[in-house]
Every structure is written in C-alpha cells, then in structure tokens.
Amino acid sequence: MLLLAVLTGGAGARATPQGVQVIPKPVTVTAGRGWFSASSAVVSVASATPETRRIAADVAGLLGGRVGPGGNVMLALGGPARLGDEGYDLAVTSRAITLAARKPTGLFHGVQTLRQLLPATGARRIPALTIRDYPRFAWRGAMLDVARHFFPVRDVKRFIDLIALYKLNRLHLHLSDDQGWRIAIRSWPRLATHGGSTEVGGGRGGYYTQRQYASIVAYARSLYVEVVPEIDMPGHVHAALSSYPKLACDGKPSPLYTGIDVGFSSLCVDKQLTYAFVDDVVEELAALTPGPWFHIGGDEAAATKPRDYLRFIGRIQRIVEQHGKHVIGWEEIGRARLGPDTLVQHWNLDPAKTALSRRAAEQGARVIMSPAAKTYLDMKYDSSTTLGLRWAGYTSVRDAYVWDPVRQVPGVGARDVIGVEAPLWSETTRSLADVEYLAFPRLIGIAEVGWSPARGRSWAEYRLRLAVQGPRLAALGVNFYRSPEVPWR
Ligand code: ACM
C-alpha cells in the first residue's frame, strides 16, 4: 500500500508544493528540510558503465557541476523490484542527492525529475525530498504523421527531445500514406523518390534515407524512446500505387495525391506481387528498427472488400512475424484473427468500431489507448484554433487530461490496456512550430495519464502544476498554446 505524502507547504525550510511541481506526478513525494545547492555538485556513479557514465555527465551538466569520485550526487543501479525497469528512487537532502534505479532507463527518468526540480530561472537549488516513482503503463507514446506533411530529421529529433522530458517512451512514426511515402526502400526505390516527392497541399515533401532513419532510431534510443515504424496497409497506399502502378489491381498509372480524403486506395489483395512488395518493405524496415514492433496500420480500408481485408491482415501478420517483429495495428485489425503478442491501437469514436478493440482484447491482444476525442493532438483546442481538424470535436487541455485509459471501452480494462499514445496527424501542420502548438501542452497531460497513478490525479491540481511548465517550455523555445484554462506563470 502506497502512502501519498501530504506536502506541508511554506513552513520553515521545508520544501513547498511549488518546489515539487513535477509532471508526470510521481507516485510518492515526501518533503524534507532545506535545499541542495546545485553549484556544489560532484556526480559519482556507483555502478559505472559507459551508459551510466553518460547519464552522470548529463546530471553534472544539468546541475552545473562535474563528474568525479566521492561526490555528493550519487547514481546507483539497484533498488526494489517495485521500481521495475523504468522507475527510480530519488533522495535529496541539503548535503547530498542519491538517485537509484534498477536499469539505466530508470536513472534517465530520475534525471528528468531532477531537471524539473531545478527552477526554470534563478537560484540553482533543489528542495530536500524523497521520491519513489515508477510508471502506471509500460507504453507511453506519441505519434508523428510524417506522411501528410514531411518533417526533416532535425524536427523529429527535437520532438524526441521534448517527449523524453515528460517520460514518454515510444515514438510511432506514420511513414506512409496516400499523400507520401517517407522511407527509402532499396528494393523499391521509387516509393521514396516518386512517392515521397510531394505532400498535402502540393509542397515538396521528402523522405528519410535509411541512414537518416537509423540516426533517428539511435537518437531516440539514447533518450530511452523506442521508434515504432508504421507502414499503413492495405488502405492509405496511394503514394505507393502511384510509384509502382503494377501494384494496383488495374495496373494503371495515377498521379500523386495532395488532398486530405481517406479510404480510397487499396493494395491488390489478389496479386502475388503485393506480398513480395510487403515482404521487401517489412524486411528492410525491420532490419533498421531494433525495437520489437512493426505497425501495419489497417485503418480505414474502405476500398478493400471486407473478406479481402481479413485475408490480407492474416498474411501480413505472418510476414511481420517472419521478420522477427510483433504486429501492431489500428483497432480495425480486431476483425481479423490475431496472432499472439499483437497490439491494437484503439482510436475510433464509433461504438461499432470500439467493439473491435474489445474483440482484439478477447483474442489476447493488448490495447494501446488513443481515443481520438482525448488524444488526437490534431484536433482543435476550441473554435478559435486555426490549425487542426475537428471531426472528433474540440479537445481542450482539460479534455486531454481528464480520462482514464482503462475506462474507455467497455470490456477493455486494466488487464488489457498496455498504455496510451497521442497521435499527431499532419494534414494541417506544415512546420515543427505548428506541431508544437498542437502537441503542447496537451501531450504533457497525456504523459501524466500514462505515467501517474489514477488515484490522486485531478484537473484542479494538475492545471497549477502545468502552469509551472510555462517558463520551462518558453526557455526551450517551444511554440506552446497558452490555453486560457491554465494560470500560466
Ligand atoms: C486513424 O485515425 N485513421 C487511425
């Protein structure tokens, strides 16, 4: 049984609640007495490996101190099983800081907490306290649609920087859609050179070379974020069909598409070439992706006959498994017979489709919760938002925060839900500044939904903690939306 310590604000030299306004909210925080002065920091590692030394160097940089033996900031690998792979114990006194975790991932998350314990500006000191912290859900993701508009490598890395600050651990890249194919495939080069040559609205588009994609994956890993690649099939494939007309059922050439309709394209389920194509794409992309998952899309396949869809998903699952990856698909794949270790991603508002997530869970699939009305970062905040869409309604900062992943779909509960993910579809976002405006601050709330215990979360309290992120986001140059729901500092 965990006790949530009550913070005794203001009095004497005790840490005030303002001093521990961390997002995501830690599992337990116990206030101490006094402050640790960052200027005196010497960081030591009890369990020195190249990885823990790198984290120690980050901590020294953060505190403005140095790495050295016999320090007053100690990093150690160890701690109770309860911390799991991602949790950490942090103890700050006026004399020393101890950060312990069972895995480097946990140390990294502890460092993100330390970062938020330092003031955004002013005296570099940290309030004395004890924190025990670990995530509620294993899967805490963001999705970037690089197909509708293309975002270059530096934008993606910056986005990874920002999500890692809030302990998100998955970046799902939606790499292909009707409007663009964004990853070079050596055996099918026109996918990128032709299929990647435009985007929504007719801009120049772009694609990642395999080396660039690998650099994104490696960069993400260095921040404990796993990249999940998605090639959307059998629908959302117009850019591929335009690149290789022989993949289309009618074999006819077609121009690229720069509008925002969905549901009009399909791979040709009866052609053998289709499966050779998918096998080549999955093989190359799986080899570039160390993480265990491959997202096959499967959504909105309105141009594929229902019977064909079932056959197609069955075959594609086997191809993905042959290349050593676990299948992820949007909830529509719940119609098909699913293999073991499949994840489905719930998104739809339509109750008939919601039932597909339940059907998937009944087959043993774990469910990633991305309910559109809560987590789709491309929905407008309100009627005054110029960017974004509104088919799932307006999504305020509060809406994105006030929900529980295990109470979204009847019959899909705590045993079934592996976590949360916030997709950002890019029909209207033409720059990283646009992406930041829609993602921040809503994504911060979703990060807390994914990490923090449900008990103890409340909008009234969260909005005050979120307000403190304002100067931090500003210092990072994030183009965030200063929602009137939040009393920004
Ligand atoms: C989706 O929004 N089509 C998954």
Side-chain angles (χ1 to χ4, degrees):
M1 180 76 191
L2 295 163
L3 294 174
L4 194 64
V6 176
L7 293 165
T8 59
R14 273 195 182 271
T16 63
Q18 285 73 28
V20 284
Q21 301 223 341
V22 174
I23 300 180
K25 186 176 189 168
V27 174
T28 65
V29 180
T30 311
R33 207 170 273 284
W35 300 81
F36 178 88
S37 171
S39 60
S40 67
V42 178
V43 184
S44 305
V45 199
S47 341
T49 66
E51 197 173 1
T52 56
R53 279 202 208 94
R54 183 169 58 90
I55 295 170
D58 285 349
V59 174
L62 179 65
L63 298 177
R66 61 186 172 84
V67 177
N72 56 357
V73 178
M74 266 85 64
L75 307 190
L77 288 180
R82 189 73 195 86
L83 296 180
D85 287 355
E86 293 196 285
Y88 63 93
D89 273 337
L90 175 66
V92 180
T93 69
S94 57
R95 290 199 300 276
I97 295 179
T98 313
L99 174 60
R102 294 169 69 84
K103 294 277 166 64
T105 318
L107 291 178
F108 179 80
H109 290 145
V111 175
Q112 305 322 307
T113 296
L114 263 182
R115 190 187 301 283
Q116 289 190 40
L117 291 171
L118 281 165
T121 56
R124 308 286 291 162
R125 56 183 204 164
I126 297 175
L129 48 68
T130 309
I131 289 178
R132 166 153 294 177
D133 201 14
Y134 46 84
R136 179 180 181 199
F137 293 109
W139 190 285
R140 304 177 309 280
M143 189 207 85
L144 202 52
D145 170 9
V146 296
R148 269 50 174 269
H149 280 96
F150 179 68
F151 300 96
V153 172
R154 68 171 178 281
D155 288 357
V156 178
K157 289 184 176 173
R158 153 93 169 176
F159 191 67
I160 293 166
D161 287 340
L162 296 176
I163 70 174
L165 291 175
Y166 296 99
K167 303 185 176 81
L168 293 171
N169 65 357
R170 305 280 184 265
L171 176 67
H172 168 182
L173 288 176
H174 183 75
L175 289 166
S176 66
D177 214 302
D178 291 316
Q179 300 85 349
W181 184 286
R182 306 302 180 199
I183 176 72
I185 299 296
R186 293 197 173 116
S187 49
W188 297 75
R190 276 179 57 81
L191 291 170
T193 57
H194 174 78
S197 66
T198 191
E199 59 189 2
V200 166
R204 290 181 50 196
Y207 64 88
Y208 308 120
T209 64
Q210 294 203 351
R211 185 191 287 261
Q212 287 175 328
Y213 174 81
S215 88
I216 291 171
V217 170
Y219 186 76
R221 288 203 130 194
S222 76
L223 299 177
Y224 300 91
V225 172
E226 205 68 76
V227 168
V228 179
E230 178 186 355
I231 297 295
D232 204 346
M233 305 175 271
H236 292 274
V237 291
H238 182 79
L241 302 186
S242 176
S243 303
Y244 289 98
K246 63 186 176 185
L247 287 172
C249 277
D250 65 9
K252 292 204 181 116
S254 54
L256 288 165
Y257 177 71
T258 60
I260 64 167
D261 285 346
V262 298
F264 60 88
S265 62
S266 179
L267 287 173
C268 193
V269 171
D270 288 329
K271 280 192 181 174
Q272 274 316 305
L273 185 66
T274 296
Y275 302 96
F277 163 75
V278 173
D279 190 72
D280 289 340
V281 169
V282 175
E283 179 175 22
E284 291 192 33
L285 197 43
L288 292 167
T289 308
W293 307 283
F294 192 102
H295 202 307
I296 62 169
D299 58 318
E300 298 177 313
T304 313
K305 290 195 192 88
R307 223 184 31 192
D308 288 351
Y309 180 86
L310 298 185
R311 264 202 302 143
F312 179 82
I313 295 296
R315 256 182 102 164
I316 294 316
Q317 287 184 92
R318 289 196 294 280
I319 291 173
V320 170
E321 285 157 11
Q322 277 158 13
H323 291 295
K325 301 298 181 192
H326 300 313
V327 172
I328 308 181
W330 298 102
E331 70 205 0
E332 285 96 325
I333 71 165
R335 288 201 182 96
R337 188 189 302 241
L338 302 178
D341 302 318
T342 300
L343 300 181
V344 299
Q345 190 163 6
H346 167 71
W347 67 279
N348 225 293
L349 305 174
D350 174 352
K353 299 261 177 57
T354 291
L356 295 174
S357 299
R358 184 167 58 246
R359 214 195 286 178
E362 284 163 3
Q363 297 188 59
R366 305 288 308 277
V367 179
I368 301 165
M369 276 293 163
S370 301
K374 301 290 183 188
T375 70
Y376 270 32
L377 299 171
D378 54 312
M379 292 302 115
K380 292 175 183 291
Y381 289 96
D382 60 33
S383 60
S384 71
T385 315
T386 51
L387 286 170
L389 303 173
R390 48 169 290 189
W391 59 262
Y394 299 123
T395 303
S396 66
V397 178
R398 183 182 191 281
D399 293 332
Y401 181 76
V402 181
W403 63 288
D404 189 334
V406 304
R407 292 171 189 275
Q408 293 304 299
V409 180
V412 179
R415 268 187 330 180
D416 309 304
V417 174
I418 190 169
V420 300
E421 189 175 295
L424 197 148
W425 302 97
S426 65
E427 283 92 338
T428 69
T429 51
R430 290 183 298 179
S431 66
L432 186 67
D434 290 350
V435 167
E436 288 179 359
Y437 184 83
L438 290 175
F440 293 94
R442 287 182 292 198
L443 184 54
I444 298 175
I446 293 181
E448 178 152 310
V449 170
W451 179 283
S452 306
R455 211 162 58 127
R457 285 210 290 114
S458 85
W459 166 250
E461 184 271 340
Y462 170 73
R463 67 192 273 278
L464 303 179
R465 253 180 314 120
L466 180 57
V468 178
Q469 298 296 317
R472 295 182 187 284
L473 294 170
L476 293 166
V478 177
N479 181 37
F480 68 103
Y481 170 54
R482 288 185 176 271
S483 165
E485 306 161 84
V486 179
W488 298 105
R489 298 288 179 84

